[in-house]
Amino acid sequence: MIRIQVSSGAQTGTRAEFDQDVVRVGRAPDNDLVLTDAHVSAYHLRIVTDPSRTVVEDLRSTRGTAILIGGDRRRLDESTGLVAAIEASSIVEAGSGEDLTRMMIEVIDDDEESRVVSMRRLDEIAPVGEGLERDPNLLRRLYDAQKKVGAAADLEEVLAAICDATLMLIPRATHVSITLRDDDENAHEPVYVTVLTRVRGEDGIGRTPAVGRIPIARSVFKKVIAERAAVLAADAPRDVGGAESIVGASIRSTAAVPLWRGEEILGVIQADNRMAPSMLNSADLEVLALFASNASLAVSNGRLIRRLQAAQEQFRRENTFLKTREQKRGGTLEIIGKSPIILGLLSQLDKVVDTRVTVLVEGETGTGKELIASAVHYRSRRRDKLFVAQNCAALPENLLESELFGHKKGSFTGATEDKKGLFEIADGGTLFLDEVAEISVTLQSKLLRVLQEGEVRPVGGSRAHHVDVRIVAATNRNLESEVKAGRFREDLYYRLKVFPLRVPPLRERREDIPLLAGAFLKRYASELGKAVGGFSQQAMELLVAYDWPGNVRELQNEVQRLVIQLDEGAFVVPELLSERIRYVEGIIGKAGMVKGTLREMMDRVEKFLLIEALREHGNNKTNAAKVLGITREGLHKKLRSHHL
């Protein structure tokens, strides 16, 4: 629990308590604590609690944030860092100079009241299970669990295997979470991040990723770390002293064991039962503790393998680049995505690759149109020939004509020798014309001739050359609208749009975001020769919730920035994400968002925005509709659809 008392400013005397992991403070009305002082930014700061610590983050406020530590004032800025850990009781100032709002922030820790049913320290874990030979079924399950974890290839698979195996070993457990320590040798104190949560399926057998964030019992977690022991708390609301984190999570019993390597604690496995009266017991703790010794080795090896792989990549980057280029020429170019819309696109692509028809790739900027165009080439029988790409918006009309069709010596000023155009260079292969809508109307007629006759005439030339080129064009504009506006030839439009392929924006394929982010993370970690931990669960949720107006390119740039920013072995946590991505937390949190289908989540946000607009304008529907950018009739229709 976080308790805040305002001691100066317009809200002097205000006291508030928050039982949540993130508390936002600022002038905007959707903050958790609203401060009306003019020197306070709309979104000034936030307080974030993870299993091991609590930090204050300045949200790049106008007047800044400071923390008083031992009588010294530390400003949070770009030079000193925007994030700082706070003690159990700390003073935080919003503003600067004489314009200050001072707050006393207390982190209420219930560890002193915590009582446990059973606890077994690390040096006692090894002999655990001496009596298990009397239960052949349990021994078999333990063997299967260890075999499953041992077969995992990388750290992500190891973590998933540990969660699934824990649910198999402890039938009463309904949730399993793994929290790992950031592998950062430069950190002053260990930082732990919850990286994965798995839940038991409704059938009691299946195991699936958690839907939404599942809070863990921080009091039990801290006891495991502090005591270096396996801890069992049965009937948690009573036996852990009514710990707020446990009551908030509705945990009826919990068993937590450390993952360790020698004297070093790597993390914690925490198994919960949230459905009384099936309580976890000491036997469950013994089984989990015994399993944790092998799981610890698997996690340690997974991290070691990741570091070794990164070190190898640092020495093989040049060779890897050459191999990647050859793989692309061999047709093994990977298009990442398992969403239905991407699988449908790939199905359409496979139908057209070995035909001669012209392909038009449509989609917003950054969706990966060139990737699809290159896949058309490298998956076809033309893969042994050249794939040539030209951005039609990058050159003025006269230079683009020369680039595409070539020119003869002396045909214009500067033409000192004959030059082959891209159509001739790509003969037998594929020519990709990106941003084809930018071609001038004059040049469009020459392009149409190539499509109709298969002949190219260089600038200043008198003789045409026959070429066999497969044309793939791409645009982020609506060509049909361009035709109606007279900016694009109708006959060329129909020639290009023989087989259209629409590349969906990233917001329409959110289920692919974790796959893409993971692939980019591995790529840039490899390029930089840096071992990184991966994404925390909350950071990935924010990535999935963001709309990505720049699509895959924006996601790629964001991940590249994150890898550069990450310390060796560290995980991506929400504090590292760009502000525009973290902003979605405010809307989702205020709307009471829980995970569901995309339609369900969008409906909840839309309903919240409608209610807020009406509230802000005193139920004046005309003004509310104007602010929302819809008609009054449209507003009435939406209100009826949400039963408002």
Side-chain angles (χ1 to χ4, degrees):
M1 178 182 294
I2 297 173
R3 178 182 298 155
I4 302 177
Q5 180 170 349
V6 182
S7 58
S8 69
Q11 272 70 44
T12 298
T14 298
R15 291 171 58 93
E17 294 183 352
F18 303 93
D19 183 20
Q20 57 199 59
D21 290 342
V22 180
V23 177
R24 301 164 187 81
V25 179
R27 202 172 64 250
D30 57 342
N31 285 287
D32 300 299
L33 177 62
V34 179
L35 302 175
T36 58
D37 303 272
H39 56 267
V40 175
S41 297
Y43 300 96
H44 198 101
L45 62 89
R46 67 177 183 173
I47 306 158
V48 181
T49 301
D50 65 26
S52 59
R53 64 175 186 168
T54 300
V55 300
V56 170
E57 177 189 7
D58 180 79
L59 300 178
R60 290 182 169 81
S61 61
T62 303
R63 301 292 294 274
T65 302
I67 298 179
L68 272 62
I69 302 176
D72 296 328
R73 178 179 286 100
R74 175 187 169 186
R75 298 288 297 178
L76 302 184
D77 53 35
E78 296 289 352
S79 60
T80 62
L82 297 172
V83 179
I86 61 175
E87 305 297 333
S89 179
S90 300
I91 295 176
V92 175
E93 296 176 340
S96 61
E98 296 181 356
D99 296 326
L100 288 176
T101 298
R102 181 171 292 181
M103 296 164 281
M104 170 68 75
I105 299 177
E106 296 180 82
V107 182
I108 310 301
D109 197 339
D110 48 29
D111 276 344
E112 293 183 0
E113 302 178 13
S114 300
R115 294 188 297 111
V116 297
V117 172
S118 178
M119 185 166 67
R120 191 177 295 274
R121 303 186 188 280
L122 284 183
D123 54 4
E124 301 173 349
I125 289 179
V128 174
E130 293 174 350
L132 295 182
E133 67 274 4
R134 295 192 296 269
D135 188 347
N137 183 43
L138 181 56
L139 282 175
R140 179 66 186 177
R141 296 208 315 271
L142 188 58
Y143 170 77
D144 290 341
Q146 293 173 344
K147 183 178 178 182
K148 182 180 180 66
V149 172
D154 57 25
L155 185 59
E156 285 77 11
E157 291 183 13
V158 167
L159 298 178
I162 290 174
C163 285
D164 291 347
T166 301
L167 289 170
M168 178 180 68
L169 287 170
I170 306 180
R172 299 181 185 88
T174 60
H175 298 70
V176 174
S177 294
I178 295 181
T179 300
L180 293 182
R181 193 191 66 186
D182 262 355
D183 195 7
D184 181 7
E185 297 178 354
N186 298 319
H188 297 294
E189 57 180 289
V191 177
Y192 293 89
V193 179
T194 302
V195 295
L196 185 64
T197 299
R198 304 273 279 185
V199 300
R200 190 179 300 280
E202 295 181 358
D203 57 2
I205 301 175
R207 292 165 287 276
T208 60
V211 177
R213 187 180 64 82
I214 303 296
I216 68 170
R218 286 194 296 270
S219 58
V220 176
F221 172 86
K222 290 181 179 179
K223 190 171 290 293
V224 171
I225 299 298
E227 301 291 341
R228 300 175 57 82
V231 174
L232 170 68
D235 192 10
R238 175 172 56 83
D239 288 314
V240 191
E244 293 296 335
S245 58
I246 292 179
V247 173
S250 302
I251 300 172
R252 303 303 303 172
S253 56
T254 183
V257 299
L259 297 165
W260 73 95
R261 180 181 59 197
E263 295 299 315
E264 181 183 13
I265 300 296
L266 303 176
V268 174
I269 306 174
Q270 189 159 317
D272 304 325
N273 177 283
R274 302 175 187 234
M275 299 175 62
S278 298
M279 303 297 180
L280 306 184
N281 55 36
S282 297
D284 294 322
L285 184 66
E286 290 184 359
V287 173
L288 187 57
L290 182 58
F291 171 64
S293 19
N294 276 352
S296 299
L297 180 61
V299 170
S300 179
N301 287 343
R303 285 190 157 183
L304 177 60
I305 290 172
R306 176 172 286 177
R307 287 195 293 269
L308 289 174
Q309 289 174 337
Q312 287 179 331
E313 288 300 321
Q314 186 173 6
F315 296 105
R316 299 187 314 185
R317 277 178 289 177
E318 184 174 340
N319 189 35
T320 300
F321 170 77
L322 296 173
K323 286 184 177 180
T324 302
R325 187 176 65 181
E326 291 306 311
Q327 285 176 345
K328 289 182 178 181
R329 287 182 58 82
T332 58
L333 188 67
E334 182 182 10
I335 298 174
I336 299 171
K338 295 183 179 178
S339 59
I341 195 168
I342 282 294
L343 294 179
L345 173 62
L346 295 179
S347 175
Q348 290 293 98
L349 189 149
D350 288 336
K351 293 176 182 178
V352 76
V353 290
D354 282 325
T355 67
R356 295 176 57 88
V357 301
T358 303
V359 175
L360 179 64
V361 184
E362 300 174 298
E364 297 178 5
T365 298
T367 52
K369 297 187 290 297
E370 184 169 355
L371 181 66
I372 297 298
S374 61
V376 172
H377 173 77
Y378 288 115
R379 294 188 181 201
S380 72
R381 287 189 289 266
R382 295 175 178 260
R383 67 177 66 92
D384 293 330
K385 301 296 183 178
L386 287 178
F387 173 78
V388 180
Q390 175 60 48
N391 187 332
C392 299
L395 296 174
E397 179 183 349
N398 58 334
L399 292 182
L400 180 60
E401 181 180 6
S402 172
E403 193 71 18
L404 293 177
F405 304 110
H407 64 253
K408 289 295 184 180
K409 180 180 178 180
S411 57
F412 56 85
T413 303
T416 57
E417 57 185 17
D418 290 353
K419 175 186 176 182
K420 282 188 176 182
L422 296 182
F423 276 100
E424 285 191 75
I425 293 173
D427 193 11
T430 302
L431 177 60
F432 172 53
L433 300 177
D434 197 8
E435 304 295 350
V436 70
E438 302 298 329
I439 296 179
S440 67
V441 176
T442 303
L443 203 53
Q444 289 173 25
S445 61
K446 293 192 174 185
L447 178 59
L448 180 62
R449 177 178 176 82
V450 179
L451 293 173
Q452 289 175 334
E453 309 296 337
E455 292 182 344
V456 175
R457 177 176 295 174
V459 177
S462 57
R463 189 165 60 91
H465 304 282
H466 181 79
V467 292
D468 174 23
V469 178
R470 204 289 179 61
I471 300 295
V472 179
T475 181
N476 59 4
R477 294 190 185 184
N478 186 320
L479 283 187
E480 189 172 349
S481 299
E482 294 295 301
V483 170
K484 292 178 180 178
R487 292 187 293 267
F488 203 83
R489 291 179 61 110
E490 185 175 11
D491 46 4
L492 178 59
Y493 167 68
Y494 289 117
R495 280 284 182 176
L496 291 176
K497 200 170 183 176
V498 177
F499 196 94
L501 291 175
R502 177 182 177 269
V503 186
L506 197 52
R507 61 183 175 274
E508 293 182 11
R509 44 183 292 224
R510 294 180 187 271
E511 55 266 59
D512 290 335
I513 291 176
L515 298 176
L516 290 163
F520 292 144
L521 190 75
K522 288 183 179 179
R523 177 197 299 181
Y524 292 119
S526 172
E527 289 181 3
L528 296 175
K530 179 187 292 186
V532 296
F535 293 93
S536 72
Q537 188 172 330
Q538 190 178 7
M540 183 56 72
E541 288 173 1
L542 289 174
L543 293 178
V544 173
Y546 181 57
D547 269 348
W548 299 107
N551 294 295
V552 179
R553 185 182 296 124
E554 183 183 4
L555 174 61
Q556 182 176 356
N557 293 340
E558 176 71 13
V559 175
Q560 184 178 28
R561 184 190 65 81
L562 289 170
V563 173
I564 294 172
Q565 189 175 358
L566 279 175
D567 294 324
E568 190 77 17
F571 286 86
V572 177
V573 293
E575 292 78 21
L576 297 177
L577 299 177
S578 297
E579 185 176 359
R580 65 184 184 281
I581 299 173
R582 298 199 310 267
Y583 176 72
V584 76
E585 285 182 297
I587 296 177
I588 291 178
K590 198 70 176 179
M593 179 64 70
V594 295
K595 288 292 184 181
T597 65
L598 177 61
R599 181 55 184 264
E600 289 171 344
M601 292 190 292
M602 293 300 293
D603 284 346
R604 292 190 190 103
V605 172
E606 184 177 71
K607 182 177 180 179
F608 164 74
L609 294 175
L610 291 172
I611 293 173
E612 284 296 295
L614 289 171
R615 181 185 61 78
E616 290 177 4
H617 294 87
N619 286 325
N620 186 312
K621 295 183 176 60
T622 300
N623 291 340
K626 184 181 298 184
V627 169
L628 292 171
I630 58 178
T631 64
R632 181 183 172 90
E633 292 74 16
L635 176 61
H636 278 290
K637 183 177 179 180
K638 288 185 178 294
L639 292 175
R640 287 194 298 271
S641 68
H642 290 292
H643 306 290
L644 295 175

